[in-house]
Amino acid sequence: MHRLPVGDGHVMHVEEHGNPAGLPLLLLHGGPGSGSSPALRLGVDAERYRMLCPDQRGAGQSTPRGGIEANTLAHLLADLRLLRAHLHIERWLVAGGSWGATLALLHAVDAPEAVSGLVLRNPFLARAEDMAAFFAAAGFPLPVTVDRDAALRWWQAEQRLAGGQPGSPPDEARLVDRYRVQSHFLQNRCWLRQRTLLERCAALPAIPIVIVQGSEDAICPPAGARALAQALGERASLRMAQGAGHDPTHPALVEAMRQALTPAA
């Protein structure tokens, strides 16, 4: 475990799993604001990979939890550069789901020398239409101020749309912090207004890219993954996990991630 000061009063919490001598694999959580979870490691060969799991600013066990000051896309990209330098890692494979896939792509554009390949699960393109479609399906507008009721309603909508097992919600304070960060990013269009994610992908290095997409995802629908695959052209392969939604624990998604992270014989 690492506690890495990244500036502006923020401290990044980073966990390591798997083989300390294995190939470095950076696992990026979604949200923004959700924090890392064991679900990110499903399908990953723990003998082959050294899994590096940072909690982004304001998320998970990073502090201050829920902090939105000095918390922008530029800050998150700078934090990943700092983490790689701190760990003395020359290059790493990067995997992420939803917003984690967005950040993985942008990290590869920002630090092309650092990334050996990308595995992107159910990518979020952060377009205005993507956000509008989610909140239309959720049945409420993007909250400007996130209180207990707004956070619980948001969580319930995500659980319903994700298609997983609802379970019991996390504690209310954590929910409020999580969705405060997410609302902050979405209100600012994830700082992708002037140049969209798809436009920025033109600057990606020549690395292998695998897109894994749940065929029934109602949060990040397959149309987004197809648009990304079209923008990337021959640089990327798109693999559909039939019957899976947004839930990363769905067996079809777990198997698709396992295959994407297993080198060809």
Side-chain angles (χ1 to χ4, degrees):
M1 185 184 77
H2 306 268
R3 296 287 296 174
L4 179 62
V6 292
D8 313 297
H10 288 271
V11 178
M12 181 165 54
H13 177 88
V14 185
E15 292 187 2
E16 293 202 32
H17 299 275
N19 183 355
L23 297 174
L25 171 62
L26 177 65
L27 293 172
L28 297 174
H29 66 75
S34 297
S36 293
S37 77
L40 294 179
R41 307 194 298 273
L42 294 174
V44 181
D45 184 345
E47 289 299 318
R48 177 175 178 78
Y49 290 108
R50 174 190 178 188
M51 292 172 268
L52 305 159
C53 308
D55 286 336
Q56 296 155 34
R57 291 194 183 202
Q61 297 184 64
S62 290
T63 54
R65 195 184 72 194
I68 59 176
E69 297 296 326
N71 192 350
T72 68
L73 172 61
H75 288 103
L76 299 190
L77 293 174
D79 292 348
L80 294 179
R81 294 196 302 271
L82 184 63
L83 175 61
R84 187 170 65 93
H86 172 74
L87 297 174
H88 304 289
I89 291 174
E90 183 177 354
R91 297 184 88 202
W92 48 21
L93 177 64
V94 184
S98 193
W99 162 254
T102 316
L103 188 58
L105 282 162
L106 293 167
H107 173 54
V109 171
D110 179 65
E113 75 287 352
V115 180
S116 60
L118 294 170
V119 178
L120 311 171
R121 172 180 46 79
N122 295 11
F124 172 57
L125 301 189
R127 300 170 298 186
E129 58 263 39
D130 301 316
M131 300 178 199
F134 170 79
F135 286 104
F140 57 88
L142 170 62
V144 176
T145 302
V146 177
D147 58 15
R148 172 192 174 278
D149 291 339
L152 184 59
R153 181 172 55 175
W154 197 335
W155 181 84
Q156 290 170 337
E158 281 190 343
Q159 295 300 299
R160 172 172 53 83
L161 294 171
Q165 297 298 321
S168 300
D171 70 78
E172 295 174 0
R174 285 189 176 275
L175 277 185
V176 170
D177 289 338
R178 168 180 170 175
Y179 291 117
R180 180 188 298 116
V181 173
Q182 191 161 342
S183 176
H184 168 64
F185 269 75
L186 296 186
Q187 286 178 54
N188 287 283
R189 286 277 304 278
C190 301
W191 288 270
L192 293 169
R193 278 194 179 96
Q194 294 187 350
R195 292 183 62 227
T196 68
L197 179 67
L198 293 181
E199 290 171 341
R200 296 182 191 214
C201 284
L204 280 167
I207 55 175
I209 302 172
V210 178
I211 305 168
V212 171
Q213 175 67 41
S215 66
E216 307 303 317
D217 192 344
I219 294 178
C220 295
R226 294 190 184 102
L228 177 61
Q230 183 176 8
L232 295 175
E234 295 181 355
R235 291 179 291 177
S237 64
L238 173 59
R239 305 178 185 181
M240 300 299 294
Q242 295 300 324
H246 198 72
D247 178 12
T249 68
H250 189 284
L253 272 179
V254 173
E255 176 58 19
M257 289 296 290
R258 185 193 68 77
Q259 292 182 13
L261 290 164
T262 301

